[in-house]
Amino acid sequence: QDKLCEVQAYFPPYSFRQANLDAFEAFIESMYKHVPRGSTVVEFCAGIGIIGLALLRARELSGIVITESNPLAEQGFDQALASLPEKLQARAAFERGTMDSLRNLAYDADVIVADPPRSGLDAGLLGVLSNMARSRVREQEAVAYRKRQETPDKSSPLGKRFIYMSCGLQSFKRDARQLTAAGWSVSAVEAGIFFPGANHVETLAVFVL
């Protein structure tokens, strides 16, 4: 049992837990400024959902879906959620499944968060994110065309944000190349060493449309 970002964290046996909780908490706090208040969020590979629940509390989200493939994580999520005010508890949900099986949840969220294993994003979720970017490019082209035709623009920007916390630098670089090629832009990047004395780098990046 630990307290992270004012959320009481309960880690059941065999559920994932970051080794360096201080560094992990600092990364979560860095995310706050990239998540608009009142937005909707979906988090992939969430473990017990500490990142998402911290965002729910700090940014007063209108809704968040926590996703995780490990069935043992849901118990920790339920206990952590119970530590938040009741008005926030009703805005959070837990969905058990893989990135691929739940990938379409990303379409309905303002902000997408992922903290995948070292292998990085799976092809299904990466495909959905790439499709979003290509749709945004087509929308921008349509707006430009309407302006040339002097037709009022009634479209609204997608305003999507993708926050990627990576523990595998090579897979992160691979995924970032695909995302930027599809149309995402990198708005912020930072790195940290979660294991002092080691050369392993944890990366936090924010992509926007």
Side-chain angles (χ1 to χ4, degrees):
Q1 179 176 333
D2 300 277
K3 194 169 188 178
L4 292 168
C5 300
E6 302 303 318
V7 177
Q8 202 68 47
Y10 300 86
F11 296 96
Y14 307 110
S15 66
F16 178 76
R17 176 189 183 277
Q18 289 282 356
N20 189 332
L21 294 181
D22 290 336
F24 181 45
E25 186 173 48
F27 260 27
I28 296 173
E29 291 172 348
S30 290
M31 297 180 192
Y32 290 169
K33 59 182 175 288
H34 301 292
V35 179
R37 287 188 179 276
S39 56
T40 58
V41 177
V42 61
E43 182 186 358
F44 292 93
C45 304
I48 67 169
I50 289 300
I51 293 175
L53 294 178
L55 293 175
L56 174 64
R57 187 201 62 80
R59 307 304 292 164
E60 296 181 344
L61 303 178
S62 62
I64 182 161
V65 179
I66 302 293
T67 78
E68 171 59 43
S69 60
N70 181 358
L72 298 175
E74 189 167 4
Q75 177 188 349
F77 165 80
D78 289 339
Q79 291 176 303
L81 181 64
S83 72
L84 297 181
E86 287 187 13
K87 68 175 184 178
L88 295 180
Q89 292 181 33
R91 303 177 193 175
F94 185 96
E95 293 280 350
R96 182 156 62 90
T98 63
M99 281 185 278
D100 183 63
S101 66
L102 299 174
R103 64 189 183 276
N104 287 334
L105 292 174
Y107 285 115
D108 297 324
D110 301 315
V111 181
I112 303 132
V113 179
D115 181 11
R118 293 191 183 189
S119 55
L121 302 176
D122 71 11
L125 180 57
L126 199 53
V128 165
L129 294 169
S130 297
N131 287 340
M132 286 180 183
R134 286 189 283 268
S135 295
R136 178 60 172 153
V137 169
R138 288 193 295 270
E139 182 183 86
Q140 290 173 329
E141 290 172 347
V143 169
Y145 175 79
R146 285 193 292 270
K147 286 181 177 178
R148 289 196 299 270
Q149 301 298 314
E150 298 183 347
T151 302
D153 175 26
K154 297 181 180 179
S155 66
S156 59
L158 294 179
K160 292 279 189 180
R161 302 182 187 194
F162 174 47
I163 300 175
Y164 189 170
M165 183 171 166
S166 168
C167 59
L169 185 58
Q170 295 306 314
S171 59
F172 169 76
K173 291 192 292 185
R174 177 203 67 209
D175 294 342
R177 281 194 294 268
Q178 181 166 335
L179 291 169
T180 53
W184 288 88
S185 298
V186 179
S187 67
V189 179
E190 60 183 277
I193 297 178
F194 279 27
F195 305 96
N199 62 357
H200 176 73
V201 175
E202 198 92 9
T203 307
L204 178 65
V206 181
F207 297 81
V208 297
L209 287 178

